[in-house]
Amino acid sequence: MTDVAARRLDPQPHEIADEHRALADAALEILLDSSLEPIVDMVLTRRDGAYEALSADGRVRFTADSGVVAVLEEEGANPIANQATDAFSPLEAELAHQHPHRSENSYPNAYDQIVQLFDAPAAPDLCVLHSARHNWEDQGGHIGEHGSLGVVQARAPWVLAGKGVANLGVVPRAARLVDVAPTIAALLGCAPVAADNGRYLSRQDGVVRDDVLDPSERARHVVGFLFDGANPNVLYSMAASGEAPNVARLIEMGTAFGHGAMAGLPTVTLANHTSIITGAYPGHHGILNNAWYDRATQQQVITNSPLPGTSRWTTSTRAPTRFTPQCCAPGPTSSPHRSTNRATSTRPTPPSVFFRRGENPGIPPSADGLPHVTERFVRPSKDYSWSSVVDHMAIEQAVGIWDGHYRDESYPHPRFMWVNFTLTDAAMHECGPHSEMAAASVRDSDARIGEVLAAVERAGAFDDTAFVLVADHGMEENDPSCQGRLGTVSLRNAGLQIRDEAYGFLYLGVDS
Ligand SMILES: [Zn+2]
């Protein structure tokens, strides 16, 4: 247990208001009815000064004062009793236990995960988690899903390699995505905050994973790759079998967390991209979900909306523990060139910024003819095609920067580069993580990172560079026969005034 409660954003975590108690009881009665049990795994809430996880066949109530968990009450089966980080790993174990029931599933760091969520002022009153089986057929027909607290949905891969990294291969250990930023800061030799060795960021929930670093070396450059939604069991298995040779190369020259790095709750994209880069849980950095309801302004927030005003959430002081500024602070291995380079070299302009500036960053009209594209999936799948184009653009930019030139701007060698790939998420959602399309997405993405590795080599910087490969959450194959909504239709039919955001964040006393 880390001291997340001690470092929370607000003096008081969010809990159900007195005037909404009866409404909460009425909603819980519906959500926990056995008829919804196949899709509602559990409901999380905080009321009367304690946290609760409630399911159809049991519940637990606990406090976490000063970071110390105290279970106050258990009734029936405690839904989060199993918090093992090694469940359903490696791939064979996951395939042998697909879409496990709650009684066999595990929920890593569940107490921490619940505490951090309700630290956010915009936390939902009720957080409804879907079961491992649940198929969102009515939301778009995905066979792969994530977002929940179960281990396969939370588990991302995490590989570190190169300068400053211990060479241990795949180790049977787990980490958390909030550990990524502090570990990168340590790898780069950044200065810790105050005298606290291990704290590099102003609101840091993660820790430096010293166990995978080589303390005798620090990296001059760090290049991070994010394979969105990549199931780590699939990724590691393909690396081992030779189907992802560049990922295999990184593992061979470094260390991979065999049991993965757990995403924060909700285990969704934008919340966890922010966690990776800030070292803070979603409830602490403020990018709470892909969408949520802000009680203060009585407005819906859609994190990734291109509409003016919405992107302030990603640039405001609500996410104060940004990685880059602290990382540029002079550290023990600082070089005289670092501060002069930092404005351009640590923050290359991402393609999204070109869009926000109203520029077209040279989008290829289609994926046809682009390198590293699996044509047989580009034709039938719009998402595969679009993601292939986007990821190609990411590579053009990353390679261009290492070669010194991209879109009429010159670049020095970056001290820190982060390259995000979306294809793995698109493919693993569409056909599931164990599909041929998923495997093709890993092969294509592997080839793309090979381009960046080659560019770093061309630049003569390979031996001074550490590489990080991570994802923002896991991906679980669900059961297409297990359909339906998370109870929101039943709540509406019962006439309850409840707003549902981003599928399962319920706000009481608010019109939908
Ligand atoms: Zn994602």
Side-chain angles (χ1 to χ4, degrees):
M1 180 80 197
T2 58
D3 56 344
V4 289
R7 289 180 185 166
R8 66 190 170 218
L9 189 61
D10 294 288
Q12 283 299 317
H14 175 73
E15 66 173 35
I16 290 174
D18 286 349
E19 67 265 32
H20 295 146
R21 285 177 185 216
L23 190 52
D25 286 340
L28 285 169
E29 193 172 337
I30 292 169
L31 293 167
L32 301 175
D33 189 84
S34 56
S35 62
L36 280 177
E37 208 268 350
I39 61 170
V40 173
D41 203 28
M42 67 184 80
V43 182
L44 310 175
T45 190
R46 179 179 158 90
R47 51 183 174 175
D48 302 322
Y51 304 90
E52 295 182 44
L54 309 102
S55 70
D57 62 359
R59 56 192 64 192
V60 62
R61 188 170 156 78
F62 67 96
T63 55
D65 295 329
S66 301
V68 179
V69 170
V71 173
L72 305 180
E73 276 175 63
E74 272 185 334
E75 189 186 316
N78 174 351
I80 50 172
N82 184 352
Q83 300 187 14
T85 54
D86 62 352
F88 315 130
S89 172
L91 180 62
E92 295 69 31
E94 182 181 329
L95 292 174
H97 300 92
Q98 286 206 58
H99 27 83
H101 182 261
R102 182 172 57 253
S103 57
E104 319 163 286
N105 207 347
S106 106
Y107 303 91
N109 318 309
Y111 292 118
D112 258 11
Q113 292 267 31
I114 295 167
V115 170
Q116 62 83 23
L117 180 69
F118 290 100
D119 279 347
D125 293 301
L126 302 173
C127 174
V128 186
L129 299 182
H130 57 94
S131 69
R133 280 183 67 202
H134 182 217
N135 177 276
W136 300 70
E137 174 66 26
D138 55 345
Q139 313 285 359
H142 290 155
I143 298 174
E145 232 359 298
H146 58 92
S148 194
L149 198 51
V151 64
V152 179
Q153 298 190 26
R155 178 184 280 142
W158 189 13
V159 180
L160 301 97
K163 185 84 165 181
V165 176
N167 189 350
L168 307 172
V170 180
V171 293
R173 299 177 205 161
R176 300 170 301 161
L177 289 181
V178 289
D179 300 334
V180 172
T183 302
I184 289 176
L187 252 176
L188 282 167
C190 298
V193 172
D196 182 352
N197 266 326
R199 272 201 73 206
Y200 290 87
L201 300 146
S202 56
R203 189 173 289 129
Q204 179 182 310
D205 291 315
V207 297
V208 175
R209 290 303 303 249
D210 287 318
D211 57 324
V212 299
L213 301 185
D214 175 351
S216 68
E217 290 186 333
R218 286 292 176 256
R220 176 80 188 103
H221 314 273
V222 168
V223 176
F225 300 112
L226 190 150
F227 283 3
D228 202 303
N231 175 306
N233 286 337
V234 171
L235 186 71
Y236 295 160
S237 170
M238 289 182 67
S241 67
E243 287 189 90
N246 291 296
V247 175
R249 179 182 181 192
L250 295 180
I251 294 174
E252 272 163 29
M253 56 188 257
T255 301
F257 284 94
H259 299 154
M262 305 303 167
L265 181 70
T267 59
V268 300
T269 296
L270 300 173
N272 280 284
H273 280 243
T274 312
S275 287
I276 289 167
I277 222 74
T278 62
Y281 277 122
H284 296 165
H285 59 55
I287 306 299
L288 196 57
N289 201 332
N290 292 336
W292 70 89
Y293 180 75
D294 182 28
R295 292 184 184 84
T297 60
Q298 302 185 342
Q299 282 185 343
Q300 180 193 45
V301 179
I302 298 176
T303 314
N304 218 16
S305 169
L307 296 174
T310 308
S311 60
R312 72 190 162 85
W313 285 92
T314 55
T315 55
S316 76
T317 53
R318 291 295 306 255
T321 49
R322 296 167 142 243
F323 183 78
T324 311
Q326 286 84 355
C327 189
C328 292
T333 61
S334 87
S335 91
H337 303 295
R338 195 191 317 175
S339 59
T340 54
N341 283 348
R342 77 184 185 194
T344 49
S345 68
T346 61
R347 285 197 276 184
T349 312
S352 58
V353 172
F354 292 114
F355 289 119
R356 288 190 175 129
R357 290 201 305 225
E359 295 174 26
N360 178 339
I363 311 169
S366 80
D368 287 337
L370 298 181
H372 317 307
V373 168
T374 303
E375 281 186 29
R376 76 184 169 109
F377 293 122
V378 159
R379 301 257 154 76
S381 166
K382 234 168 48 185
D383 283 352
Y384 202 99
S385 176
W386 181 84
S387 298
S388 297
V389 170
V390 169
D391 290 358
H392 172 77
M393 289 171 65
I395 285 303
E396 272 197 335
Q397 185 186 28
V399 169
I401 287 169
W402 277 106
D403 286 344
H405 205 70
Y406 176 70
R407 280 182 62 77
D408 303 328
E409 281 188 55
S410 295
Y411 289 86
H413 294 160
R415 176 108 165 100
F416 176 59
M417 171 180 273
W418 194 254
V419 194
N420 181 51
F421 299 90
T422 187
L423 179 66
T424 37
D425 186 74
M428 291 194 188
H429 266 307
E430 184 160 342
C431 292
H434 309 303
S435 62
E436 285 186 36
M437 185 190 278
S441 74
V442 170
R443 282 191 291 268
D444 292 357
S445 304
D446 179 87
R448 291 194 178 101
I449 68 169
E451 297 264 2
V452 181
L453 299 182
V456 177
E457 284 182 320
R458 268 199 307 279
F462 196 87
D463 293 342
D464 285 326
T465 301
F467 299 91
V468 173
L469 169 61
V470 73
D472 52 344
H473 47 75
M475 190 70 76
E476 183 159 37
E477 188 140 331
N478 58 50
D479 175 358
S481 73
C482 180
Q483 295 180 16
R485 306 192 73 147
L486 288 176
T488 46
V489 172
S490 317
L491 297 173
R492 216 170 16 252
N493 289 345
L496 304 183
Q497 190 189 24
I498 294 178
R499 183 185 181 107
D500 180 15
E501 287 289 353
Y503 311 121
F505 265 32
L506 303 188
Y507 295 84
L508 304 181
V510 184
D511 290 325
S512 51

